[in-house]
Amino acid sequence: DSGVTQTPKHLITATGQRVTLRCSPRSGDLSVYWYQQSLDQGLQFLIQYYNGEERAKGNILERFSAQQFPDLHSELNLSSLELGDSALYFCASSVESGGGELFFGEGSRLTVL
Amino acid sequence: SQQGEEDPQALSIQEGENATMNCSYKTSINNLQWYRQNSGRGLVHLILIRSNEREKHSGRLRVTLDTSKKSSSLLITASRAADTASYFCATDDNYGQNFVFGPGTRLSVLP
């Protein structure tokens, strides 16, 4: 158990809809990272937050947004969903703002029909 | 775009043999890390090597880093069936950010 909690574990929704994925980092970790893993794109870095502030941005679509709250949990919002958004979405946390070991949650599997 | 590229994409060996996976990257890095993923599960950190280190060991794992060639290798000695998983290298930039993973090597260890 990594100590990182992601909900929901599975989510099935329709095209055009909006979903919110939630992540609780390990106790004491200030950094949260979001990744998307699909068969054809591999593990794609989306965005990183550190202590409530956006720290780095990767290949995150404009339809996607994220935030980190004062209690350090984070949410990834996916809107106007398309079939191609079907993937595993991982959250990871670390103590440092960068350069340290990442602890991954078990992921949220999103299926868009 | 991906920074690291693992090689080979897939590797199949017998239990007891050694497995070697390689990772190449494109730009300067702060650290390089190796992770393991069992099918459909979260990634698990294996080892971190800093840009000023050349070799690191952890149990049956040995990692090397050649910054002049922008490459790293992961060696798993005396492999076991339980080592069957995908292995990813990850690099961060000089600011310790933008953790980027390669496409991974799928290792199958046959009993």
Side-chain angles (χ1 to χ4, degrees), chain A residues 28-88:
Chain A
D29 284 359
L30 299 179
S31 244
V32 169
Y33 301 75
W34 285 99
Y35 288 88
Q36 178 194 56
Q37 187 177 39
S38 59
L39 283 174
D40 56 345
Q41 292 290 320
L43 201 63
Q44 296 288 319
F45 168 64
L46 297 179
I47 198 164
Q48 178 203 357
Y49 283 86
Y50 178 75
N51 203 20
E53 292 189 6
E54 183 182 307
R55 186 55 65 98
K57 213 165 187 175
N59 300 321
I60 187 165
L61 300 172
E62 284 191 11
R63 300 183 286 108
F64 296 0
S65 64
Q67 54 184 324
Q68 185 179 28
F69 295 87
D71 67 353
L72 301 178
H73 91 271
S74 178
E75 291 181 358
L76 178 66
N77 300 297
L78 315 175
S79 61
S80 302
L81 285 168
E82 302 175 359
L83 295 177
D85 297 328
S86 295
L88 255 177

Side-chain angles (χ1 to χ4, degrees), chain B residues 4-9 22-24 34 87-90 101-105:
Chain B
E5 293 280 338
E6 290 90 347
D7 167 56
Q9 288 186 346
N22 302 298
C23 169
S24 58
W34 284 91
Y87 292 82
F88 297 86
C89 69
F101 286 79
T105 292

Side-chain angles (χ1 to χ4, degrees), chain B residues 29-58:
Chain B
I29 61 169
N30 191 35
N31 299 311
L32 186 143
Q33 303 186 41
W34 284 91
Y35 287 79
R36 163 199 168 121
Q37 183 183 33
N38 284 46
S39 182
R41 305 291 303 275
L43 280 74
V44 175
H45 180 263
L46 294 176
I47 198 164
L48 179 152
I49 187 164
R50 302 195 185 281
S51 58
N52 61 354
E53 296 176 311
R54 291 296 167 258
E55 189 169 313
K56 208 158 180 182
H57 296 255
S58 176

Side-chain angles (χ1 to χ4, degrees), chain A residues 6-8 12-13 19 22-23 26-27 30 33-34 37 53 63-65 76 78 83 90 96-98 100:
Chain A
Q6 287 189 249
T7 57
I12 301 174
T13 188
V19 299
R22 182 188 168 103
C23 169
R26 280 191 332 155
S27 177
L30 299 179
Y33 301 75
W34 285 99
Q37 187 177 39
E53 292 189 6
R63 300 183 286 108
F64 296 0
S65 64
L76 178 66
L78 315 175
L83 295 177
F90 285 107
E96 308 166 38
S97 67

Side-chain angles (χ1 to χ4, degrees), chain B residues 40-86:
Chain B
R41 305 291 303 275
L43 280 74
V44 175
H45 180 263
L46 294 176
I47 198 164
L48 179 152
I49 187 164
R50 302 195 185 281
S51 58
N52 61 354
E53 296 176 311
R54 291 296 167 258
E55 189 169 313
K56 208 158 180 182
H57 296 255
S58 176
R60 294 184 295 112
L61 305 180
R62 173 178 168 251
V63 168
T64 62
L65 179 64
D66 186 336
T67 52
S68 66
K69 294 181 180 176
K70 293 187 169 58
S71 68
S72 172
S73 68
L74 169 67
L75 168 67
I76 303 175
T77 59
S79 63
R80 305 165 182 167
D83 294 328
T84 294
S86 291

